[in-house]
Amino acid sequence: QGRLVESGGGVVQPGRSLTLSCATSGIHFSTYSMHWVRQAPGKGLEWVAMIWFDGSNTYYTDSVKGRFTVSRDNAKETLYLQMNSLRAEDTALYYCARDPWSGYFDRWGQGTLVTVSS
Amino acid sequence: EIVLTQSPGTLSLSPGERATLSCRASQSFCSTCYVAWYHQKPGQAPRLLIYTSTSRATGVPDRISGSGSGTDFTLTISRVEPEDFGVYYCQQHGGSQWSLGPGTRVEIK
């Protein structure tokens, strides 16, 4: 079935940076596009970013464009999300999810919590 | 940008009753775009139920089904069971943008 394990969350001050990781195993990582989806406390799901299987294309939701960067290391089977200029509204549980070539999410991690607060 | 709305906001049902959840898009998708449905229980990650609007994901019971096209999509649970409580989200997929609806909460009486 495979595993997706997010890490790197924590409490960070507004304007600072944080990098999230999503370590995977058993999901044929290098052949799938991957996404980041977040969920603010008590709120619904929000799509954040997507990267093609080979890293050649990336997409972002408007609210994070220019501040967040999604990347991947296929040799390490790991997905990343570099988050700069963090804002209070970025506070959320961040999930990584696998995309089986059709734009939906068939495997999810358990999430890592990012709290942006002074 | 395609905006998805879901109704009702909350559904309260007894075991054995039928659940009908609606997902409406602000505009028609591209011809090769579809809806996926997810179920999330408190403290858990979402779980894929339906993709390409009508296909069941692995392990999803056949009492759960998806239908619809254009701008109107439906998730139906023919006979609700206690483990079906939680929040259900629809998501549009197939193009180069991805968005999710606000969710429908299902409560079991």
Side-chain angles (χ1 to χ4, degrees):
Chain A
Q1 285 285 62
R3 293 186 70 197
L4 298 85
V5 180
E6 301 91 339
S7 62
V11 179
V12 61
Q13 293 179 329
R16 303 298 290 267
S17 299
L18 204 61
T19 298
L20 306 183
S21 299
C22 170
T24 73
S25 60
I27 68 162
H28 305 287
F29 180 80
S30 64
T31 63
Y32 289 93
S33 297
M34 296 291 295
H35 297 257
W36 287 98
V37 178
R38 67 184 178 184
Q39 187 169 35
K43 302 298 184 182
L45 301 169
E46 179 188 23
W47 173 78
V48 175
M50 181 271 203
I51 185 167
W52 277 25
F53 74 104
D54 60 356
S56 60
N57 284 284
T58 57
Y59 301 88
Y60 301 92
T61 192
D62 286 346
S63 63
V64 309
K65 281 180 183 174
R67 300 189 300 122
F68 288 13
T69 301
V70 59
S71 62
R72 63 192 297 158
D73 185 331
N74 283 347
K76 294 183 178 179
E77 297 187 300
T78 300
L79 176 72
Y80 303 99
L81 186 67
Q82 171 72 40
M83 304 184 295
N84 298 330
S85 303
L86 282 161
R87 305 167 180 168
E89 53 265 36
D90 296 320
T91 293
L93 187 63
Y94 284 74
Y95 295 101
C96 61
R98 189 181 77 167
D99 177 348
W101 284 99
S102 295
Y104 59 89
F105 318 128
D106 71 338
R107 296 282 191 274
W108 296 69
Q110 287 304 305
T112 186
L113 182 62
V114 173
T115 303
V116 183
S117 173
S118 54
Chain B
E1 178 190 356
I2 296 173
V3 176
L4 300 177
T5 56
Q6 292 185 243
S7 61
T10 301
L11 205 49
S12 186
L13 297 164
S14 298
E17 288 190 307
R18 183 184 189 87
T20 302
L21 286 67
S22 173
C23 177
R24 177 164 291 178
S26 59
Q27 62 190 81
S28 184
F29 297 179
C30 64
S31 60
T32 57
C33 296
Y34 305 94
V35 159
W37 290 90
Y38 305 89
H39 178 210
Q40 185 179 35
K41 294 182 178 179
Q44 296 185 15
R47 173 198 177 198
L48 176 68
L49 297 176
I50 299 290
Y51 60 96
T52 58
S53 304
T54 60
S55 301
R56 270 184 223 93
T58 303
V60 175
D62 59 7
R63 58 191 179 81
I64 294 175
S65 62
S67 62
S69 62
T71 59
D72 290 290
F73 299 86
T74 301
L75 180 75
T76 301
I77 307 175
S78 59
R79 300 172 308 280
V80 165
E81 296 190 2
E83 63 264 29
D84 295 331
F85 77 93
V87 182
Y88 291 78
Y89 297 94
C90 61
Q91 177 233 337
Q92 64 92 9
H93 67 92
S96 60
Q97 56 177 319
W98 301 263
S99 57
L100 294 110
T104 289
R105 182 176 302 277
V106 172
E107 300 174 343
I108 307 298
K109 291 179 183 177

